[in-house]
Amino acid sequence: SYAPWALHLLSEFTRLVQITHHLLLNPMMLTTLNLHGKKYYYLLLHDQLGLAHWSLQQTELTRQLEHIASSQFWLHPASNSLCKIVPDKYPRWSLGWWRRDLLGKRLVGHIDALREWQSNRRLRKAGLQTVQCKAAGIALNPLNPHASFLAVHYLAEHCSGEHYFEQADEAARLALLQRLARDIYQLARHGYYHRDLHLGNLMLSPSGHIVWIDTHVRRLPGNRERLRKTILASLEPGKLFGQCYRDYLLTQLRRLAGLPQPSLMKPEPR
């Protein structure tokens, strides 16, 4: 088998080839974003709207989102879009800025918005429901601290999976975990797993369907034992409301995979 560093190098090379192929087939569009009255230029690598200018607004909702995430959030009322802007992580001119924000993101291609859009496409191809991605781009000016831009459809009528779980009774909680297990299993059958699995990364439609909003996925290893360990490691009790619910989710995954069950006990209500 290949060493981990070789697999990582191959993965990075494949990703760069995919980005280059996409750019050759899809001409980029230049657009501007108005943030706090200041104009910023972006190259859109994916664009469904064809807007030359985005006038964005911040509301109580976007401010609430920023309290629980490291990104900035804005609304574009004209297109009913929720916009996510990922700022630079390190102070400008620092070593971290040169290595990670400038070289790693802008020059090598670790563009947050593009990676999320690509993951969104992978989930859709696997048969999962995802939020519609309307635009994804990168700041044209390397000194622009707002490095990447992603616009998705604003799901005003949907409910956060985390909020739903907190308010639901035990039967509804277990039913949601069963639906979640089906999505995890379906994604794994297509060779991927979610790298940050928690209920805050999904929404529930008025009819109860799961819609993924944070779609960062990674490819599963080919080795069977490493694959098993990767799936187990992705099911973190702290992100799934405790060990009992995590174990119940694992039980559902084993059932879908046709594996023997060590225990069929349901979690005790909290």
Side-chain angles (χ1 to χ4, degrees), residues 122-193:
R122 292 186 180 107
L123 263 72
R124 283 179 177 264
K125 189 174 181 180
L128 279 63
Q129 292 191 36
T130 65
V131 64
Q132 178 189 357
C133 182
K134 297 181 179 180
I138 185 172
L140 182 63
N141 182 354
L143 299 183
N144 178 355
H146 310 291
S148 73
F149 164 68
L150 180 76
V152 300
H153 185 67
Y154 176 40
L155 303 174
E157 303 300 321
H158 290 53
C159 173
S160 162
E162 191 171 76
H163 177 74
Y164 174 87
F165 196 89
E166 290 173 340
Q167 303 297 319
D169 60 26
E170 191 65 9
R173 288 181 172 187
L174 299 185
L176 175 57
L177 291 177
Q178 291 170 14
R179 298 198 296 277
L180 178 59
R182 287 195 291 269
D183 275 12
I184 297 171
Y185 179 69
Q186 184 72 8
L187 184 61
R189 290 189 62 187
H190 283 76
Y192 293 94
Y193 73 101

Side-chain angles (χ1 to χ4, degrees), residues 39-267:
K39 185 181 293 185
Y40 296 90
Y41 291 89
Y42 286 80
L43 284 175
L44 296 185
L45 310 175
H46 165 70
D47 181 26
Q48 291 184 349
L49 301 178
L51 300 176
H53 178 71
W54 296 67
S55 184
L56 305 181
Q57 301 176 5
Q58 286 197 306
T59 65
E60 185 60 32
L61 167 69
T62 61
R63 284 187 282 271
Q64 290 175 3
L65 291 173
E66 290 181 1
H67 281 307
I68 58 176
S70 58
S71 302
Q72 300 173 6
F73 291 91
W74 302 71
L75 284 178
H76 186 249
S79 65
N80 193 34
S81 299
L82 178 65
C83 302
K84 178 180 178 181
I85 296 177
V86 180
D88 285 343
K89 186 176 181 179
Y90 298 92
R92 188 184 299 176
W93 309 122
S94 68
L95 180 60
W97 182 83
W98 282 102
R99 292 181 55 215
R100 301 291 297 277
D101 292 322
L102 184 63
L103 179 61
K105 291 183 178 180
R106 291 170 172 86
L107 300 182
V108 176
H110 283 177
I111 307 166
D112 293 271
L114 181 60
R115 296 170 77 181
E116 191 155 350
W117 169 62
Q118 290 175 328
S119 290
N120 185 295
R121 295 177 62 194
R122 292 186 180 107
L123 263 72
R124 283 179 177 264
K125 189 174 181 180
L128 279 63
Q129 292 191 36
T130 65
V131 64
Q132 178 189 357
C133 182
K134 297 181 179 180
I138 185 172
L140 182 63
N141 182 354
L143 299 183
N144 178 355
H146 310 291
S148 73
F149 164 68
L150 180 76
V152 300
H153 185 67
Y154 176 40
L155 303 174
E157 303 300 321
H158 290 53
C159 173
S160 162
E162 191 171 76
H163 177 74
Y164 174 87
F165 196 89
E166 290 173 340
Q167 303 297 319
D169 60 26
E170 191 65 9
R173 288 181 172 187
L174 299 185
L176 175 57
L177 291 177
Q178 291 170 14
R179 298 198 296 277
L180 178 59
R182 287 195 291 269
D183 275 12
I184 297 171
Y185 179 69
Q186 184 72 8
L187 184 61
R189 290 189 62 187
H190 283 76
Y192 293 94
Y193 73 101
H194 202 290
R195 71 176 192 176
D196 187 23
L197 184 64
H198 61 82
L199 298 181
N201 282 336
L202 58 90
M203 303 283 282
L204 293 178
S205 71
S207 59
H209 291 101
I210 289 177
V211 180
W212 291 91
I213 55 172
D214 188 322
T215 56
H216 281 299
V217 297
R218 287 179 178 169
R219 181 168 290 281
L220 283 166
N223 179 274
R224 191 178 185 86
E225 180 59 20
R226 288 184 60 208
L227 184 151
R228 184 186 70 84
K229 290 181 178 179
T230 299
I231 293 293
L232 289 176
S234 72
L235 307 179
E236 299 183 37
K239 296 182 178 182
L240 296 168
F241 291 87
Q243 186 70 41
C244 289
Y245 289 113
R246 180 266 187 193
D247 290 346
Y248 182 78
L249 181 60
L250 178 58
T251 295
Q252 298 305 307
L253 288 171
R254 295 179 67 90
R255 179 182 61 82
L256 290 168
L259 298 174
Q261 300 289 356
S263 173
L264 294 177
M265 292 180 63
K266 294 181 179 180

Side-chain angles (χ1 to χ4, degrees), residues 15-31:
R15 182 181 52 77
L16 286 173
V17 170
Q18 291 172 341
I19 292 175
T20 304
H21 181 260
H22 171 78
L23 296 180
L24 289 174
L25 295 181
N26 301 275
M28 294 180 289
M29 176 177 177
L30 181 65
T31 192

